[in-house]
Amino acid sequence: MHVLDATGNLQLLPASVFCTERCTRTTEDTKEKIDKVLSKFKTISDQTTKQLADVIDYVEKIQNDLSNIPEENELSVAQSLMLSQCMKKVKDTSGKAAADHKELHGSVSKVGKAIDRNFTQDFGVVNKDETFCGLDQPDLVNQVICQHFFRQGMLDIGEALIREAGVDIADKSKEPFFEMNRILEALKNGDLQPALSWAYDNRQLLRDNHSSLQFKLQRLQFIQLLRGGPGKQAEMLAYARNFEPFATQHEKEIQQLMGSLLYVNSGVDNSPYAHLLQPIQWADICDVFTRDACALLGLSIESPLTLGINAGCKALPALLNIKQVMLQRQCTDVWSNKDELPVEVNLGAEYRFHSIFACPILRQQSTDSNPPMRLICGHIISRDALNKLANGNKVKCPYCPVEQSPTDAKVVYF
Ligand SMILES: [Zn+2]
């Protein structure tokens, strides 16, 4: 089974996702074939790149030699021979590249066949047709896909989809993604400026969100100066004034930065502050920026599409099993008439986003139509339980037991 990872790449799901021993074996079998293709692809790619570069050099050399001959002169026998040899070499090289490509294609199609052979292809049984059909649904799906591409920085693909599928996405909703990607791209290239000015413009909001992004960016800017050696010492001292607003919150980190100044002349590389120069600082800042910028813009850190697909893939084996059991016992309707699965599919903590409330009286999970209700004594039970316990306009809390009016109970939102 393949899933899209956070960067939009296709990845093979870990074998643990599949429940039976047979599944694990077939996953390994397919993975082996994929590894083989990948290694073959690399070898052929390396060889072809080298051969093409050689041939281009050769052609350029001949072109150069021939350009020195005056135009009215005819080619000598040796030169004609050289030309025909060159043509043969070009033809051989392109022929070999085509043959390699054909061979690779064969291996790739073997992988496709292995996947078809080893994995369930028909997931239609776990799908509800009305989820993706209808007037608005296709457009909604396209919107989600577009947003995914924008999020991953694949702006041209997103734009192409908008154009070709006629997706209705307001420019305003694209801008945050564009800006975030532009800043992230700059950060990856070691350019702090766009991120610094973004953090400066949003400093109040970041502070309200308890984000330390601005400090971390300035810290990295200081480290960049530190890299510059003794020549940058005066600039570093001047820049250190920018840390003043962060003095109480980041005292220790600022002390460390100041301490590193002592080693500017003898070399920070061989000092207790060498860790400041490590590349991990840059990877960290990209993570912090993505997390804090997403929080500020009201976006989730991971693309909802990636998350949805990954969660779906994780749940598939269980869903297929449930469906099988339901078909055998002929009780298919327990699934189709509710927005809820008949059993809980545990996807692990990373896929849990909301607190859930289970009524202590009826032992049911709350829903929109049966929400948790807070009684005036502070105890919470579900609305159905409240209605069952109510006697006219009176209800006795099953826990404390304070007598009260059911109308005083308030809906609780998680
Ligand atoms: Zn109570």
Side-chain angles (χ1 to χ4, degrees), residues 203-214:
R203 61 190 180 285
Q204 192 52 49
L205 286 169
L206 285 170
R207 220 166 292 159
D208 293 347
N209 274 5
H210 306 290
S211 156
S212 52
L213 178 66
Q214 204 189 353

Side-chain angles (χ1 to χ4, degrees), residues 234-340:
E235 214 178 312
M236 283 163 78
L237 284 170
Y239 193 80
R241 294 211 180 91
N242 291 316
F243 293 132
E244 203 205 317
F246 307 104
T248 38
Q249 218 187 335
H250 298 284
E251 193 185 344
K252 221 172 155 132
E253 284 158 290
I254 297 175
Q255 281 171 351
Q256 272 200 1
L257 293 176
M258 295 303 115
S260 69
L261 279 171
L262 295 172
Y263 292 90
V264 169
N265 285 318
S266 57
V268 182
D269 278 338
N270 299 314
S271 76
Y273 299 97
H275 65 279
L276 291 176
L277 303 179
Q278 287 189 352
I280 179 105
Q281 309 275 359
W282 285 93
D284 278 351
I285 204 75
C286 289
D287 288 347
V288 174
F289 176 79
T290 312
R291 195 190 60 216
D292 291 6
C294 281
L296 210 69
L297 298 167
L299 304 168
S300 55
I301 295 174
E302 262 203 82
S303 147
L305 182 63
T306 310
L307 214 60
I309 290 180
N310 286 352
C313 291
K314 269 192 108 169
L316 259 184
L319 295 181
L320 287 168
N321 282 344
I322 297 168
K323 201 76 190 190
Q324 195 65 36
V325 171
M326 285 184 351
L327 281 175
Q328 280 164 5
R329 309 226 171 130
Q330 297 183 340
C331 50
T332 41
D333 56 324
V334 285
W335 193 334
S336 51
N337 54 11
K338 269 192 190 167
D339 245 359
E340 216 175 89

Side-chain angles (χ1 to χ4, degrees), residues 13 17 28 54 102 109 112 174 182 207 221 229-230 259 354:
L13 264 188
V17 170
E28 286 304 318
D54 284 352
K102 202 170 165 191
S109 76
K174 285 188 251 168
R182 187 177 56 83
R207 220 166 292 159
Q221 175 79 354
H354 302 285

Side-chain angles (χ1 to χ4, degrees), residues 375-379 397-402 404:
L375 306 177
I376 54 168
C377 52
H379 289 114
C397 171
Y399 288 96
C400 39
V402 171
Q404 52 201 294

